[in-house]
Amino acid sequence: MSGVTLENVIKRYGETQVIHGVDLTIEDGEFCVFVGPSGCGKSTLLRMVAGLEETSAGTIRIGSRDVTRMDPAERGVAMVFQTYALYPHMTVEENMGFGLKMTGHPKDEIRTKVTEASRILKLDDYLKRKPAALSGGQRQRVAIGRAIVRGPEVFLFDEPLSNLDAELRVEMRVEIARLHKEIGATMIYVTHDQVEAMTLADKIVVLRGGNIEQVGAPLDLYRDPDNRFVAGFIGSPSMNFLDAVVTGGAVEVPALGRHVEVAASLPAEGTALTIGLRPEHLELRPGDTMSVELTEALGGVSYAYLNAGTGERLIVEERGDERSSAGDRVGLSFEASRAYLFERESGLRIR
Ligand code: ADP
């Protein structure tokens, strides 16, 4: 097994550059998730590791091997796609073993590997079925099984759960986490779903516009984002952002109608900032600075959608039995240590 290293990796389609020099180290056995909004380049980057897209410049290594110009089959990777791409006329068993059969592996070896993969994926009872007689989740398991039997150094997943309904997604997410624990291989997983990223990853790579915004362990990104983009992307519901300005050596937040003492190196008096507050770190209290426009009761938690007098909107997570209702006038309280500051223009974090 092996880690994966990208050095100044660039992708161009004709004149258009879509990946702008990515440097990244994925350790052996690590579960690495590429996450970001649609079009940020995560699939392209994954397909470059797979060898399905040519790398315009830079180097891709798997273990100590430079695979940049190698064919996909030589790289020691196996990819699982969003569309399962199973052969409809073959049984589960035949689908899983087909790749090995084509590369001339002996029948006994194929049977052993298929049996082992179907044990891991709990597909033993379905080996003689054809894909049409399987649920979406089972089909995706077969696609994963096909990758396992190849014994790759690196597993590549391209939005593998996107075609499943919400309940199955959660179930398969747990399955994939279990699979990683059991086989311990290096895995790279692409998703636009930050919950999948948070729950599966050892290491999250947040991409935007073909650049890496930040790399880190899930909770490190949540607690210590480098910029407004990462702060807003990681966490659900998203962090609230309000205009702020440096006045009298403190941070004045017009929407809150007060100053906040944030422990950060503040820039010059009058500098425009953005203050970031997570919904789960805010508490409603009696007051008259904001109005509740709407509440969503999810059972365990409720979300109150507030309108500040400034026209800015924010979300507050409420727990416990006392919950707000639409039309209430409220104030907000929070610990100043929970507030994040960003430069208004660049979005860079001020620490
Ligand atoms: P993501 O997976 O993050 O949604 P992609 O990796 O699919 O994003 O795409 C990254 C960018 O590359 C997008 O702006 C997309 O329009 C562009 N792109 C992808 N494939 C091609 C192509 N064959 N030709 C030109 N541009 C492409």
Side-chain angles (χ1 to χ4, degrees):
M1 280 179 222
S2 315
V4 178
T5 318
L6 309 186
E7 286 167 22
N8 197 19
V9 164
I10 288 171
K11 177 67 185 174
R12 290 182 210 99
Y13 290 108
E15 297 287 288
T16 317
Q17 186 165 315
V18 298
I19 302 288
H20 306 291
V22 163
D23 290 304
L24 179 65
T25 303
I26 300 165
E27 307 295 340
D28 183 15
E30 200 164 45
F31 200 122
C32 177
V33 177
F34 294 171
V35 71
S38 183
C40 69
K42 50 197 186 298
S43 295
T44 302
L45 206 52
L46 188 79
R47 292 169 63 82
M48 287 160 81
V49 174
L52 300 174
E53 294 284 353
E54 201 181 307
T55 299
S56 309
T59 307
I60 300 176
R61 280 181 228 284
I62 295 180
S64 55
R65 295 180 301 135
D66 181 344
V67 302
T68 318
R69 304 284 156 224
M70 280 186 194
D71 283 342
E74 298 171 336
R75 295 190 179 204
V77 301
M79 188 141 164
V80 178
F81 298 92
Q82 177 179 348
T83 52
Y84 323 118
L86 301 180
Y87 298 108
H89 58 286
M90 290 184 196
T91 62
V92 165
E93 192 172 23
E94 288 163 348
N95 262 290
M96 286 207 266
F98 186 66
L100 295 181
K101 190 172 162 192
M102 292 310 284
T103 43
H105 287 69
K107 271 199 179 127
D108 283 355
E109 185 194 331
I110 298 176
R111 193 171 310 118
T112 309
K113 289 193 165 156
V114 169
T115 305
E116 173 62 5
S118 57
R119 181 194 63 77
I120 293 173
L121 294 164
K122 299 195 202 102
L123 282 170
D124 315 71
D125 295 341
Y126 304 95
L127 288 173
K128 301 294 178 202
R129 285 204 200 173
K130 300 223 168 114
L134 298 176
S135 71
Q138 289 162 343
R139 284 180 208 167
Q140 191 52 286
R141 279 203 196 117
V142 179
I144 295 170
R146 202 172 37 186
I148 293 175
V149 297
R150 295 180 48 200
E153 291 177 56
V154 182
F155 284 79
L156 306 175
F157 294 91
D158 193 358
E159 304 241 12
L161 307 187
S162 297
N163 284 355
L164 304 177
D165 64 42
E167 200 177 325
L168 259 181
R169 284 177 77 110
V170 175
E171 203 176 293
M172 281 303 292
R173 198 170 77 203
V174 175
E175 288 286 307
I176 290 175
R178 200 177 53 79
L179 176 72
H180 181 246
K181 276 216 169 60
E182 176 154 0
I183 61 181
T186 309
M187 297 188 173
I188 310 180
Y189 187 105
V190 161
T191 182
H192 61 271
D193 179 343
Q194 64 91 25
V195 176
E196 264 176 37
M198 291 297 283
T199 51
L200 285 171
D202 297 314
K203 176 186 275 175
I204 295 182
V205 178
V206 182
L207 289 159
R208 175 164 68 152
N211 289 302
I212 292 181
E213 290 282 314
Q214 195 171 353
V215 178
L219 289 179
D220 290 343
L221 295 192
Y222 172 84
R223 291 188 191 121
D224 196 15
D226 282 344
N227 56 53
R228 179 180 164 156
F229 179 79
V230 173
F233 199 82
I234 301 289
S236 175
S238 290
M239 187 183 278
N240 297 296
F241 297 107
L242 299 170
D243 283 353
V245 63
V246 183
T247 14
V251 178
E252 185 189 354
V253 187
L256 302 177
R258 63 189 166 100
H259 286 72
V260 182
E261 300 282 343
V262 188
S265 324
L266 292 185
E269 191 75 7
T271 306
L273 304 174
T274 302
I275 189 168
L277 297 162
R278 293 202 182 274
E280 56 273 37
H281 295 154
L282 296 173
E283 238 177 284
L284 297 184
R285 58 175 174 78
D288 199 28
T289 46
M290 315 226 165
S291 53
V292 179
E293 288 191 320
L294 178 80
T295 57
E296 286 178 341
L298 273 66
V301 297
S302 296
Y303 296 117
Y305 291 74
L306 309 187
N307 192 344
T310 53
E312 292 163 285
R313 292 193 151 78
L314 63 172
I315 302 180
V316 176
E317 183 182 301
E318 292 184 275
R319 289 171 185 271
D321 296 331
E322 298 263 317
R323 311 259 173 110
S324 62
S325 319
D328 289 354
R329 295 286 298 166
V330 293
L332 270 187
S333 69
F334 57 91
E335 287 175 30
S337 62
R338 296 288 203 181
Y340 296 84
L341 285 184
F342 306 93
E343 288 178 12
R344 179 88 59 85
E345 285 297 311
S346 68
L348 286 178
R349 173 92 177 276
I350 299 169
R351 288 183 165 93

